Amino acid sequence: MILENGTIRTLDDSLPLARALAIASERISGGVGTHELALPTPDRIDLKGRCVVPGFVDAHVHFPSWAVAQGQLVLDGCRSLDEMLERVRAAALDLAPGQWLLGRGWRSPRLPSTRPIRALLDRAAPDRPVALTSKDGHSLWLNSPALDRAGDLSSEGGIIETADDGAPSGVLREGPAWRFLETHVNLTASEVRAAMREAFRTASARGVTGVHDKDGAEGALGHWQALHAEARLPLRVWQSLPHSRLELLSELEIAPGFGDGFLRVGYLKAFLDGALGSGTAHLLDGSGVALMEPAELAQLVRQAASRGWPVAVHAIGDQANRDALDALEATRDAWAPRGIRPRVEHAQLVSRDDLHRFAALGVACSVQFSHAPSDRDLVDEQWSDRLEGAYAYRSLWEADALLANGSDAPLEELDPLAGIRAAVLRTADDRPGWRMHEALTVEHALVASTRNPVWLEGAERTRGRLVPGALADLVVLSADPLAVEPHQLVDVEVVATMVGGRWVHNPPPWD
């Protein structure tokens, strides 16, 4: 197959631009020249001026959770608590008494302590258990029927808010929220997998050819394995597992990279703090929630490195990011000589004194460009005294840090082009871009959404660039994103998606 008459952005520094691309079986055989004669009666596909780029790889996504969330009540965009409660009230009317009402996407309004969220949800849905996950995924709102199912809520590693009378207010943060969902609101495996099958179509339509999945603690690996056994997956999966599984993995003699070309177990995930929206990000002023001490993280990194495992460290606040860097610096002698590639997830608030340390240590930043315009109002309100290091993508790039972009779906939408626009424009509405000195170029954002996530997997020789011998994972775009004005990026669309030489979305011919 030959793709011709268009723009090929190879993202390879030695030959960044080509006029055509030849594909044989699952791999790229080269640009078009004398070697094309070696292809037996090749199909010629006229791009008609369209652009081809390497496939998008989402470096941070909770794929099964995102798939399931497509069928839940959407609260993102609610401008007031009253609007949110009205959505709950309307959704409850469509459910049988006792049936769970699940939703997500709210951001914390300021509520007087005399009006706990529990009572407000009780009035909106009095005879149905309600569980509403915050937009950042670190807090949960519950009504009385839901709390009645919980029993004892006591647990470590989070916050259980109480009302003035000492009773649970209906707000759980961090560990208690996650444990409640895991214990009381589990969907069946068949329900999750049905949602994932449907979500595959959406992901492929948005040019996603690979994901770094973060739902390891929710049993995602089992879902992926079952779906992979049914049929060839339409994207490649680099799966994380909770750091608590390290000993079990060692006992089973499972090494990182175990799997095949479509599904591999790749790395361990640990949490240092909470999140901005829930007020649990760990800051240098001592506020927030520390979910792991630096010494504990250092011990984990050293133990993981001895068995070849990289660690992805969730760090939102400036103290959490400093703790992550300190722990990785203290253990660099254990992981660097082995070629292990650690990463910090989010890096949303980094002290200016620490920005240079990522590149100096060889620690990657797994960031989410869409969070910057989405979180701007909260950041201006809650971090107004430390904005210099907030979502500082350009500063990190210029300090030579490796940035890998993800969506953090379902917190944001799994949409790589939306992420690229967020990186370049720093706005998602009609307002001017936010802190535009931290904007990236289109090329930077494209590399961070294609080539860099693949590097974190150790697969840079076979993916992330459109060069001879590489796997044919690619996206056909309606226009060249590097050739349009920034405000025209919204008009660039995914036309077709290919994974391993197989069209997984909208095969040609195209109008």
Side-chain angles (χ1 to χ4, degrees):
M1 171 191 315
I2 295 176
L3 306 180
E4 59 185 357
N5 193 25
T7 300
I8 313 296
R9 294 284 180 184
T10 69
L11 296 194
D12 181 74
D13 294 338
S14 63
L15 182 65
L17 197 62
R19 65 179 181 85
L21 195 69
I23 299 166
S25 185
E26 65 176 7
R27 296 186 181 271
I28 295 168
S29 61
V32 176
T34 56
H35 59 275
E36 76 182 33
L37 300 176
L39 297 174
T41 60
D43 293 329
R44 292 180 178 271
I45 297 173
D46 188 353
L47 293 170
K48 296 183 179 178
R50 298 179 177 92
C51 180
V52 179
V53 298
F56 297 126
V57 179
D58 192 309
H60 188 119
V61 58
H62 305 263
F63 194 96
S65 294
W66 171 70
V68 168
Q70 305 309 297
Q72 295 181 351
L73 176 63
V74 177
L75 301 173
D76 193 12
C78 287
R79 299 179 182 178
S80 68
L81 179 62
D82 287 340
E83 181 182 354
M84 190 211 75
L85 292 171
E86 181 55 39
R87 291 192 191 184
V88 171
R89 186 177 295 108
L93 295 175
D94 295 330
L95 301 176
Q99 184 177 353
W100 276 103
L101 194 168
L102 305 177
R104 67 176 305 125
W106 58 265
R107 290 189 186 273
S108 294
R110 293 176 176 174
L111 293 175
S113 59
T114 55
R115 299 177 63 208
I117 194 65
R118 172 182 187 170
L120 297 175
L121 291 177
D122 284 351
R123 286 198 285 273
D127 55 358
R128 295 158 180 82
V130 178
L132 308 177
T133 303
S134 62
K135 184 175 176 64
D136 62 22
H138 287 249
S139 295
L140 187 66
W141 281 357
L142 303 170
N143 68 349
S144 292
L147 284 165
D148 290 344
R149 301 189 180 197
D152 182 14
L153 288 170
S154 62
S155 65
E156 299 179 356
I159 298 171
I160 301 169
E161 295 191 1
T162 57
D164 291 345
D165 61 1
S169 71
V171 180
L172 308 183
R173 303 194 188 279
E174 304 303 335
W178 302 333
R179 280 185 280 277
F180 181 94
L181 292 173
E182 182 180 340
T183 303
H184 302 288
V185 198
N186 272 344
L187 299 177
T188 66
S190 61
E191 289 173 324
V192 175
R193 292 165 193 174
M196 291 175 70
R197 292 186 197 97
E198 186 66 27
F200 286 155
R201 287 191 280 271
T202 301
S204 295
R206 293 175 178 173
V208 178
T209 62
V211 295
H212 294 187
D213 184 63
K214 306 298 184 196
D215 267 1
E218 283 74 44
L221 183 58
H223 298 315
W224 287 117
Q225 287 177 319
L227 293 171
H228 192 17
E230 290 179 4
R232 189 174 176 184
L233 292 174
L235 45 76
R236 304 181 194 275
V237 183
W238 182 243
Q239 182 67 52
S240 73
L241 289 174
H243 70 86
S244 59
R245 307 278 176 85
L246 177 58
E247 292 301 326
L248 177 60
L249 291 167
S250 299
E251 289 176 12
L252 297 175
E253 298 184 349
I254 295 177
F258 178 78
D260 60 21
F262 278 84
L263 176 59
R264 291 185 294 157
V265 178
Y267 55 108
L268 305 176
K269 186 177 180 184
F271 286 83
L272 274 182
D273 68 343
L276 163 66
S278 294
T280 50
H282 194 196
L283 306 184
L284 287 168
D285 63 10
S287 62
V289 174
L291 298 177
M292 180 182 287
E293 294 299 323
E296 184 182 357
L297 175 61
Q299 182 181 14
L300 166 65
V301 171
R302 193 170 291 279
Q303 290 174 344
S306 69
R307 298 158 193 179
W309 287 92
V311 176
V313 186
H314 169 109
I316 299 287
D318 45 13
Q319 182 66 65
N321 276 281
R322 178 167 293 177
D323 289 346
L325 291 167
D326 286 349
L328 290 166
E329 182 173 14
T331 57
R332 196 172 188 277
D333 62 308
W335 56 264
R338 298 175 66 101
I340 293 173
R341 299 171 181 181
R343 52 201 281 181
V344 169
E345 303 294 328
H346 307 302
Q348 287 181 359
L349 182 63
V350 181
S351 167
R352 301 298 295 187
D353 294 336
D354 293 327
L355 287 171
H356 71 283
R357 297 179 65 194
F358 290 92
L361 294 173
V363 176
C365 297
S366 173
V367 299
Q368 299 76 46
F369 296 148
S370 292
H371 280 337
S374 179
D375 293 351
R376 61 188 292 180
D377 295 326
L378 274 176
V379 174
D380 286 340
E381 177 185 341
Q382 297 187 24
W383 293 347
S384 60
D385 59 339
R386 58 193 72 213
L387 283 176
E388 283 190 356
Y391 304 74
Y393 303 140
R394 186 60 176 252
S395 294
L396 285 166
W397 192 284
E398 291 181 347
D400 293 326
L402 183 136
L403 269 60
N405 180 45
S407 64
D408 208 3
L411 278 66
E412 306 292 343
E413 263 304 301
L414 201 174
D415 187 345
L417 286 178
I420 290 171
R421 292 194 298 270
V424 176
L425 302 174
R426 302 277 292 194
T427 185
D429 50 36
D430 294 333
R431 292 181 290 177
W434 178 69
R435 296 177 53 76
M436 284 300 294
H437 61 282
E438 294 293 355
L440 296 174
T441 68
V442 175
E443 185 175 7
H444 292 161
L446 190 59
V447 168
S449 304
T450 56
R451 199 171 74 191
N452 287 355
V454 167
W455 183 88
L456 281 172
E457 300 177 36
E460 66 272 18
R461 293 185 180 181
T462 56
R463 292 167 49 217
R465 298 174 300 148
L466 302 180
V467 295
L471 290 164
D473 294 359
L474 56 84
V475 181
V476 180
L477 300 175
S478 60
D480 182 359
L482 273 68
V484 302
E485 294 297 322
H487 70 274
Q488 295 175 314
L489 286 171
V490 69
D491 298 321
V492 178
E493 300 177 335
V494 171
V495 174
T497 306
M498 173 184 286
V499 176
R502 175 174 62 110
W503 295 108
V504 294
H505 169 66
N506 194 28
W510 311 298
D511 293 334

